[in-house]
Amino acid sequence: MLAIGTANPTGVVIPQDQFTDDIFRMTKTDHLTELKEKMKRICQKTGIDKRYFYLNEESVDAHPEFLDRELPSLDARIDMAATAVPKLAQCAATKAIAEWGCPATNITHLVFSTYSAWKAPSFDHQLASLLGLRPTVSRTILSLHGCYGGGRALHLDKQLAENNRGARVLVACAELTLVCFGAPDGSNLVGTALFGDGAGAVIVGAGPFSEGERPLFEMVTATQTTIPRTEHVLGMQVSGAGVDFHLGIQVPTLIGQNIKQCLVDAFGNDNVPGSWNDLFWAVHPGGRPILDNIDTVLKLEPGKLAASRHVLREYGNMSGATIVFVLDELRRRRKEMGGDNLLQEWGAMLAFGPGITIETMVLRAPPLNEN
Ligand SMILES: CCCCCCCCCCCCCCCCCC(=O)SCCNC(=O)CCNC(=O)[C@H](O)C(C)(C)COP(=O)(O)OP(=O)(O)OC[C@H]1O[C@@H](n2cnc3c(N)ncnc32)[C@H](O)[C@@H]1OP(=O)(O)O
């Protein structure tokens, strides 16, 4: 990974302790007092301080069909997403390209991940145009991978970079909750309390590096695991009323039970570290209990998941884009708070989503003076 950029919508920032009042007012559901109390209880346990949103009260008022799952709203959501998602991705990608320091036309491949893409040509094509990429740029769009979309895109980028000499791959993940947004009901409270909007972008390339290029993280090995018989636990489905989602209550436990084997598979039996504390950690903060369970199962020292908890607190779960924010936070901490001492050389990245699918990657943070 040679450069990282992130972005959030600039319009609406909702503190989590104000969220329940705001969302029930915006969706005209203040009369559902039991549901509102439950939402307050859930919000208090999320480990989130604030979230960024593209939708605002005005746009919700303009689309009463977003509040009634019986009314068709897919077309309106697609129209809004078609402009807003590529633009948010553009903001993140522009930052990554500026940090990389090379012209955008040097990008050879683009991989775009989102849960909002349902048209062709799709957001990868729009982003390529917005950034002025070459017409020969090799584009791929990944759709509906949910929270493991960023991990999947980085995994593919690694393979593209290593198998195409001189390739410079742009990965972009952009997620807007507007496709899932609805009035609170018995089935969507947890998602509504957890998810926010954001985009992340990474430039990936294999050596030899040109002057000025410096790897931030090396992607050493990567694996994908699907936990058998968990298809029904976590999922998303496009309907006439947007994207429906289901987050089973077992998700944090199932991830905790399977994480060690995923890590052993990614490191290989002979290379498993003596203690998981010998690593730095980039974990998708899918929810606070997911992080707590990983801490417990791997016996991690306090602070090992600090970057993930920080991102969860400051932005919520931005689905596939979140892992890029975690990587960005890790490298920021390393740079600003004392160099190599704060980050072990070897690390692990974890991202989870529908399937249940777990993307695991062994990372290396090259010492700051290494080139
Ligand atoms: C302008 C505004 C716009 C707003 C837009 C918002 C739009 C939403 C958009 C959603 C996008 C969805 C995208 C989906 C992507 C796929 C997801 C993934 O891939 S990745 C993975 C995603 N991540 C996850 O799946 C993890 C999510 N889970 C968590 O983060 C935590 O469990 C918690 C914070 C919900 C509760 O904290 P915890 O310490 O467990 O606390 P307690 O045990 O004390 O429980 C408190 C209450 O919560 C209840 N309850 C708990 N779980 C569930 C559930 N699943 N189900 C139902 N209820 C649940 C529990 O029964 C209790 O109720 P009560 O007894 O008080 O009545």
Side-chain angles (χ1 to χ4, degrees):
M1 295 180 219
L2 300 169
I4 298 175
T6 65
N8 301 92
T10 47
V12 179
V13 190
I14 305 188
Q16 190 77 340
D17 57 8
Q18 190 185 303
F19 180 77
T20 302
D21 287 334
D22 284 3
I23 195 79
F24 277 75
R25 185 190 66 252
M26 281 167 73
T27 58
K28 300 166 184 56
T29 47
D30 268 320
H31 58 286
L32 303 174
T33 49
E34 263 183 46
L35 213 55
K36 195 170 169 184
E37 282 312 307
K38 179 156 179 163
M39 177 71 110
K40 277 196 175 145
R41 288 199 296 280
I42 289 175
C43 280
Q44 280 165 4
K45 299 216 160 171
T46 51
I48 296 170
D49 281 355
K50 65 176 189 298
R51 286 177 287 159
Y52 295 79
F53 295 104
Y54 172 78
L55 278 182
N56 56 30
E57 202 144 358
E58 217 177 5
S59 45
V60 172
D61 281 345
H63 290 280
E65 71 276 21
F66 287 4
L67 304 182
D68 184 345
R69 302 304 285 180
E70 299 302 315
L71 295 177
S73 61
L74 188 60
D75 286 352
R77 292 177 200 256
I78 291 177
D79 281 352
M80 285 172 104
T83 312
V85 173
K87 272 203 175 144
L88 192 60
Q90 181 193 10
C91 291
T94 302
K95 289 182 195 168
I97 292 166
E99 183 193 339
W100 176 41
C102 298
T105 45
N106 286 12
I107 291 168
T108 54
H109 298 71
L110 167 64
V111 178
F112 194 132
S113 177
T114 180
Y115 58 60
S116 298
W118 315 303
K119 59 189 288 186
S122 195
F123 298 167
D124 53 330
H125 176 263
Q126 277 165 275
L127 181 63
S129 305
L130 288 167
L131 293 172
L133 306 187
R134 282 187 284 184
T136 53
V137 73
S138 178
R139 296 178 283 104
T140 306
I141 185 119
L142 305 177
S143 183
L144 284 175
H145 288 257
C147 296
Y148 75 93
R152 179 91 293 244
L154 285 167
H155 189 159
L156 290 177
D157 278 16
K158 168 179 162 52
Q159 292 173 356
L160 286 170
E162 288 171 351
N163 290 301
N164 295 278
R165 198 172 163 74
R168 288 298 176 262
V169 190
L170 169 63
V171 63
C173 308
E175 309 288 19
L176 291 185
T177 51
L178 77 87
V179 299
C180 309
F181 168 82
D185 61 31
S187 70
N188 67 9
L189 286 191
V190 172
T192 304
L194 214 56
F195 286 87
D197 298 351
V202 183
I203 304 282
V204 174
F209 300 114
S210 58
E211 209 184 316
E213 285 187 328
R214 241 202 106 263
L216 302 169
F217 296 104
E218 189 181 327
M219 298 189 270
V220 184
T221 57
T223 57
Q224 184 189 72
T225 303
T226 311
I227 307 176
R229 296 173 297 281
T230 57
E231 299 84 354
H232 60 287
V233 176
L234 186 56
M236 308 172 78
Q237 175 149 337
V238 181
S239 76
V243 172
D244 298 329
F245 59 92
H246 169 66
L247 307 176
I249 200 156
Q250 324 84 308
V251 172
T253 307
L254 283 166
I255 291 173
Q257 286 168 345
N258 287 276
I259 218 64
K260 231 186 222 170
Q261 190 57 49
C262 293
L263 288 162
V264 172
D265 291 342
F267 277 88
N269 277 325
D270 297 339
N271 297 315
V272 170
S275 161
W276 297 116
N277 284 301
D278 294 342
L279 305 175
F280 68 86
W281 290 89
V283 179
H284 168 64
R288 184 197 42 74
I290 295 180
L291 298 179
D292 293 348
N293 286 356
I294 290 175
D295 264 338
T296 306
V297 169
L298 302 179
K299 299 189 175 61
L300 295 181
E301 289 157 5
K304 277 285 168 185
L305 301 186
S308 302
R309 291 189 192 277
H310 171 86
V311 170
L312 183 64
R313 198 166 51 242
E314 293 300 314
Y315 305 96
N317 180 344
M318 297 163 288
S319 200
T322 324
I323 197 66
V324 181
F325 282 71
V326 176
L327 291 164
D328 193 31
E329 179 61 19
L330 273 172
R331 64 84 177 250
R332 191 188 66 75
R333 285 170 184 239
R334 183 188 196 203
K335 196 169 164 207
E336 289 180 7
M337 297 195 230
D340 294 337
N341 295 339
L342 274 170
L343 203 62
Q344 269 90 358
E345 184 173 354
W346 292 90
M349 188 186 91
L350 295 166
F352 338 95
I356 292 175
T357 307
I358 303 181
E359 291 280 346
T360 311
M361 193 178 275
V362 177
L363 297 177
R364 179 173 170 266
L368 289 173
N369 56 6
E370 177 183 297
N371 207 347

